[in-house]
Amino acid sequence: MTSPVLLRFAPSPTGPLHLGGLRTALVNHIHARKLGGKWLLRIEDTDAARAVPGSVEGIREGLAWAGLDYDYGPGKAGPHGPYFQSQRLDLYHFYAKKLLDTGHAYRCFCTADELQSTRERLARSGLNQTYDKKCLNLTEEEVARRVKAGEKSIVRLNDSMPPRRTSPPDLIFGHLRDAHASLPTDPVLLKSDLFPTYHLASVVDDHEMGITHVLRGEEWLPSVPLHLDLYASFNFEPPQFAHLPILLNPDGSKMSKRKGDVRVVDFIERGWEPQAVVNWLALAGWGVHDHSHSHSHSSEASSSNSDSDSSSASSSKQTAAPDSTTVMSLPEIIQHFDLSAVTHRRSVLDPTKLEYLNKHHLMRDFSSEEGLQAFAERMQPDIKAAYPDSDSTSIPYLKKVILALQGRLMTAPDLLTTAPYFFQPPSYTSPESQALVTAIPSHEIYLQALQPTLERLRAIPSQEWEAYDVASVLHEENKKTGLKSKVYMTVMRHALSGMKSGPSVPEIMKVLGQEKTLARLEDAASRVGEWYPEES
């Protein structure tokens, strides 16, 4: 009987959730949903010295913001708990004893100083070993006596008892060449403080929880041989593995918590849309789907040399990947994503692609009445806070503003700053406003454009304003003045907004409404003399 599909995202609580972690969680979410399975959040907190208070809450908030809803984990009881490794220590001790009882592991009583001296001696001898197995041949009586005497010990895997095991192909990197030579001699499984190493805890938990697929970062490729040894030593069936290539900064450097702007909370605070960030991360490394999947890689080489593309297709049967700026919702990503289409090379996260995706996700939202309404309601409190004296913050009005600006908004906060004249009178004293005035030759030309237009707009019945063809009115009045269209429209734009860019002048008038449009044109007409003092 086939086990139900279950994946896991297993971060350590050592700081804020970062983009690499979010991408790992995302791919677990995508793969679980694509296969009709579930995924859980497991907190790997056995290294108390590195734990940072508030990290778990930050991880959960970041996942919730991105719409990655785990099925089991902290705050969501399930059949696999507890979901904190620090609460599962008895389990690790039980399995460590099983290995001791079968000879697959042994106790080592060497002190830290002794181990350091041994490593140095072996290195001077030119040996690849990191430990001389001094404690391997202790008798059961000697081990029991020293344990009873309270001597501290660690538990090591006995790699001189190689278990029979198979190496299933990685779902991304394919077949991996054996890299046992890169492992330390008899790796530590249980530390002297009775806390497990990552390797023991991870293997035990993945087995006990029924994890069918382990999707994690490329940095864990060198650990695969050790983990497979543990599965074989326990006589467990290993899960399917997939290792995600590392994300790079635009300059080619590795993304890290210490370098660059990689904290998810930074993206939240700057107003990026979660669906755009998810889209951006999903497209990173989404390459050609190679159905043959016949490549062979060394885990050691893959982790150190994967910035060159080793995924050249060896099969003629391939599926094209989406363009790196294809706008996709999470359900669309789940529908089309395939792990075998992830390239082996490390992927650069280009911020300009996020800008493009964010802008187009917003425009997608605005294309439906439901999405437009939701965005207006979401932004209304921020607009009111930014413009406390404004009488132009109603939801119907905000929807008009959003539609007028939609192609100009890269992020949601841009609504606050792109066109302030929609929420307050224009600032005619700003450098931008004064620069616009210099593009209008004279006081007389300003009024030549403004006054006849003002009279014409006043004559439009107020009840007809919404449907009136204001653009035609402006075109006709411009023609009557004999002024170049650029000069005429600059006058109108200056009078209405005081800014050189924005929606078209007719659009601005439609959003402002007749009353505010006339008030601003009248105000500009009364003040134009101030802007040309040399003509006074």
Side-chain angles (χ1 to χ4, degrees), residues 275-288:
Q275 63 267 32
V277 174
V278 162
N279 194 166
W280 184 46
L281 292 173
L283 290 172
W286 188 340
V288 173

Side-chain angles (χ1 to χ4, degrees), residues 428-429 437 443 523-524 526-534 536:
Y428 295 126
T429 58
V437 169
H443 172 219
D523 184 41
S526 69
R527 299 173 61 177
V528 66
E530 302 170 17
W531 306 326
Y532 296 92
E534 68 280 1
S536 303

Side-chain angles (χ1 to χ4, degrees), residues 28-39 69 71 334:
N28 275 278
H29 176 90
I30 293 168
H31 202 57
R33 298 297 181 253
K34 191 173 186 72
L35 298 179
K38 299 180 185 295
W39 68 285
D69 190 21
D71 299 283
I334 292 169

